[in-house]
Amino acid sequence: MSSGKIRFASVALSVSLGVTGFAQEARQLTQADYARAESFMNYNVNPLVYHSVEHPIWMGDGRFWYRDHGPEGATYFVVDPAKKTKAPAFDHAKLANALNAATAASTSDTKKTLTATTLNLSELSLADGDKVVTLTTEGRRWRCDLSGAGVCTPADTPTSATAVAAPRREESPHPAELSPDGTKAVFIRDWNLWMREMATGKETQLTKDGVKDFGYATDNAGWQHSDRPVVLWSPDSRKIATFQQDQRKVGEMYLVPVTNGHPKLEAWKYPLVGDKNVTLIERVVIDVDKHKVIRLKLPPDQHRSTICDDVSCNGGWDDVQWSEDSRQLAFVSTSRDHKQEWLRVADAQNGKVREVMTETAPRFFESGNDRVNWKYLWGTDEVLWFSERDGWGQMYLYDGKTGKLKNQITQGEGNVTQVLLVNAAERVLYFVGVGKEKQRDPYFRHYYSIHFDGSGMKLLTPEDEDHGITASPDGRYFVDVASTPTLPQTSIVRDADGGLVMDVAKQDITKLVATGWAPLTPITVKARDGKTDLYGFMFKPTNFDGSKKYPIVNNVYPGPQTGSCGSRSFTAAHRDMQSLAELGFVVVCIDGMGTPWRSKAFHEFYYGNLGDNTIPDQVAGMKELGARYPWIDLDRAGIYGHSGGGNATAAALFNYPDFFKVGIAESGNHDQRDYEDDWAEKWAGLEVINPDGTSNYDSQANQNIAKNLKGHLLLAHGTMDDNVPMNNTLLVVDALIKANKDFDLLLIPNAHHGYGSATPYMTRRRWDYFVRYLAGETPPHEYEMKPWDKEQEVLHGPAQ
């Protein structure tokens, strides 16, 4: 092995970081310069945005609640569209006092004293004239009677005299899933599924043959380590759909923590690309009353989903649907390479399975964006089905008995992204779509209604903005939160026809603007082909001077499951891009070809060639911006990213060594063969080993091209990263050493994929690296960024 030179940061002494070749005189940045940059971080600017409406929750009585952040703190509001009223959900001071008293009586922990404006609720329901509040806070569920002085009792405490000693949910290490009627909950213990009766605390073992690596309802394949059961209760709360997860032949991943003594080996099942044996599931239905397991009569299925790289994408079981009478179960099976889907229906009494239909995609199949869009209509034996077969995400109607196509519902350019509501009686579906309107940004979401026969499509949100939609379960109303990357939210309630019902709130950014904050600049550039429009954001210093030359830095995430820039809704901070710009850079993000939300051809552009990483588009876009704006210095181009962005950053420096001068690659999955199997096998297909030992995955492996490095590269990784194991970065380190290349390495002991408490340190080191190597200037010595809790004390005073 040749002797390479490594500049280690944190794990070894760094060599001199001098820079030559810059005509301008080196500038010494000060602590105040960095403090100004930090003032634009999310924990500083987000609290200055008031009256946002995020995640409104509809209640069973036709009202919804949401949490409002104002100058004094948090207020929970209830909105009644029928009465066109909005009011605080409860007496906040009385509820805080009642929770404090209840908490003090049940635990010795008195550190967190609540006030009227510091309540943090994740669940809320109202009863008895809104005087009884059932809520969840800090992982505990309470029932609070506010009719008198205010008394809170644990909502899950058994009520019968025979079960006083039964453990409460908050004392149990086993997260549970509550039945629809609220009387039962199921949880995993010793690889088996157990049931707890909520009224008595009585626990019953439902399965008996679960063993290690072949347990029930578990979700711990690859980088998932959840003990929450993956189940779907039947509507009558008498059956459970789940699976037995088979990992008995699956290979393991190993990590060892940094410790002063004997380390404890962490080992878990982690299938890799190309493995012969990967995780499988055996589907079952459990009859809760009879304590009986009914195995569905079909071979084991792949541990796959139609929308993500896990069998459970959003905490539940997405590709399974019960019939209203709880007698049948519809589900979709996905092939290992995500190219084929099978819609099937099972008899929940005997496990017999019939195949309804199947679809095969040439490259990969998806059923929407972050939500499955297929639905079995039990009343008419029809199927609403999502497909991109015509080049766009469209909805189709099928006969559920014969599996034959009845008609295509949506047509033309633009995608259905999420079907939010189906009115089977009136044969109308309501969906979120993108790219169907001629507007400033094709990523803006709009809401539509359309009849099952494809007629009468109606745009319900006409404003040229991004619309976040939350529909009421009965379909009478929906909350419309509209904004753009540069314009704050306006939140209203509309009726099913899109008519205005009432105003809810408007974001107030007065205090934010008073700090000197300025909005980003939306950009449009051409892709590598010189024809396709690409969209993104540009961030300039707030003290921008058009007579100067600024280095340009690209914050990249290549996809294919998402893009670099993220949501088009308003937010005060976009990661650290504005903060970095404040230090004297122009910072950009560009959503390149190969990312979602556009056409199918756009999304699958570099299928099978993950080494592309959209970098040719990033380079083309940056060059166009450089030609357009004389204040951009293309001779000083940098790039950085995390995870897939770390992969893309290293690939950019290795493939375009004369263009990119500086890169920071954080926690990159530099060779997909050392990453969890499902992700890459979806986006690049199964690995094929040629007779000469080469592989169709060779071109995406960054270690194979590391010898091309010319610029400054900082590699960073957490040593306990259970998502992208550290070996991914060490493969590149090994190749760079063998090629006798200088580089920098920052290993963060015991950090996972996110850097946790070391995030401020990593951020500061990132800024230092660009300031020193790209700008040719000197950063302040060991500037200390303030963690979130300290910032909260600055903004809102010390914790009570």
Side-chain angles (χ1 to χ4, degrees), residues 456-631:
M457 189 174 84
K458 183 176 182 180
L459 172 64
L460 305 177
T461 54
E463 298 84 3
D464 186 10
E465 299 178 65
D466 181 64
H467 296 265
I469 305 299
T470 307
S472 64
D474 62 8
R476 293 181 62 193
Y477 306 104
F478 63 92
V479 184
D480 178 10
V481 181
S483 66
T484 75
T486 59
L487 297 175
Q489 292 179 358
T490 298
S491 300
I492 62 176
V493 177
R494 298 182 190 264
D495 60 29
D497 291 324
L500 174 65
V501 175
M502 63 178 292
D503 296 324
V504 177
K506 289 187 177 182
Q507 274 185 335
D508 182 354
I509 61 171
T510 304
K511 192 170 183 179
L512 173 68
V513 173
T515 67
W517 175 93
L520 59 81
T521 302
I523 56 175
T524 304
V525 294
K526 295 297 182 183
R528 70 191 77 182
D529 61 7
K531 300 177 182 179
T532 305
D533 283 335
L534 302 178
Y535 299 82
F537 304 150
M538 179 169 63
F539 302 81
K540 298 183 295 184
T542 53
N543 60 356
F544 175 77
D545 182 347
S547 67
K548 293 183 178 180
K549 280 278 193 177
Y550 292 90
I552 183 170
V553 179
N554 187 306
N555 185 199
V556 66
Y557 192 92
Q561 80 278 18
T562 187
S564 295
C565 300
S567 170
R568 266 48 180 184
S569 60
F570 180 84
T571 182
H574 294 258
R575 299 185 287 278
D576 72 332
M577 286 188 272
Q578 184 61 50
S579 294
L580 182 58
E582 291 300 312
L583 299 177
F585 302 94
V586 171
V587 182
V588 299
C589 64
I590 299 170
D591 288 322
M593 298 176 73
T595 56
W597 303 87
R598 303 281 292 275
S599 69
K600 179 68 168 174
F602 187 98
H603 190 192
E604 64 185 21
F605 181 78
Y606 67 83
Y607 175 85
N609 180 27
L610 292 176
D612 180 287
N613 277 304
T614 80
I615 301 304
D617 293 325
Q618 308 298 327
V619 172
M622 293 168 74
K623 287 182 176 180
E624 181 177 336
L625 293 171
R628 187 185 306 171
Y629 302 115
W631 31 263

Side-chain angles (χ1 to χ4, degrees), residues 103 135 175 182 218 232 301 412 419 668 715 761:
T103 302
L135 59 92
T218 60
L232 184 66
D301 260 343
V419 174
L715 297 165
Y761 179 81

Side-chain angles (χ1 to χ4, degrees), residues 757-776:
S757 61
T759 298
Y761 179 81
M762 181 68 234
T763 304
R764 192 267 292 178
R765 293 305 302 268
R766 183 189 311 134
W767 296 358
D768 287 355
Y769 207 76
F770 283 128
V771 166
R772 195 181 298 273
Y773 286 123
L774 199 60

